[in-house]
Amino acid sequence: MLSTDATLWPMIAHAALVFFLYWLLSKKRAEAVRAGSAEAAHFRESRQEPPESLLVHNNLKNQFELPVLFYAGSLALYASTADNWGTVALAWIFVLSRYAHSYVHLTSNRLRYRRPIWLVGFFSLMVMWIWLAVWLALN
């Protein structure tokens, strides 16, 4: 099998997306405070998110739902030497779907586009886990 750093790069790419979203959320929140539509206390006390930062906040929460299984699966594939070029390709498909999903979520936010993109990521991740199960069962 592969068992190289190639398995780790998609995780690094997803982490980069998460760091970007945290930066964007901070920027949007600061703008909301400056514009007077939110007070700093809203964020200190976890009150309601202002409209200016709501989409970013919701998208950031999305990065800690399905992607948790991505990280666990990627590390399990790597540790068990079940990773290969196919699983690396699936991992990249998942990460690219996360980028595309974030783009749509933060721009048009049209479910018509978001859902198919989400499904691509979901099924690529599901196949990664199926491969891991098959690998463990047969080795």
Side-chain angles (χ1 to χ4, degrees):
M1 291 283 96
L2 183 65
S3 289
T4 70
D5 295 344
T7 299
L8 304 176
W9 283 106
M11 291 189 291
I12 292 168
H14 183 259
L17 173 62
V18 172
F19 290 130
F20 168 76
L21 291 170
Y22 270 117
W23 170 81
L24 186 59
L25 179 63
S26 176
K27 181 178 181 254
K28 294 285 188 183
R29 284 177 170 179
E31 289 170 0
V33 170
R34 276 194 297 277
S37 61
E39 297 176 16
H42 281 91
F43 309 117
R44 183 177 56 245
E45 299 166 8
S46 298
R47 293 187 196 164
Q48 185 175 354
E49 194 72 33
E52 295 91 339
S53 58
L54 184 60
L55 284 178
V56 179
H57 180 261
N58 289 343
N59 187 263
L60 188 56
K61 286 190 322 186
N62 286 171
Q63 304 310 320
F64 294 97
E65 294 170 353
L66 197 57
V68 170
L69 290 175
F70 166 69
Y71 285 101
S74 294
L75 292 173
L77 286 162
Y78 183 75
S80 65
T81 67
D83 53 342
N84 57 44
W85 291 112
T87 59
V88 170
L90 289 167
W92 277 114
I93 291 168
F94 177 79
V95 170
L96 292 174
S97 77
R98 294 277 75 206
Y99 273 82
H101 183 270
S102 290
Y103 177 78
V104 171
H105 196 177
L106 298 176
T107 57
S108 70
N109 198 22
R110 302 261 325 256
L111 289 178
R112 175 182 183 189
Y113 303 117
R114 273 180 49 201
R115 185 173 185 271
I117 293 168
W118 183 86
L119 285 171
V120 167
F122 173 80
F123 285 118
S124 66
L125 184 58
M126 187 173 70
V127 172
M128 286 173 63
W129 276 94
I130 290 169
W131 171 251
L132 177 62
V134 167
W135 172 265
L136 294 174
L138 298 178
N139 290 294

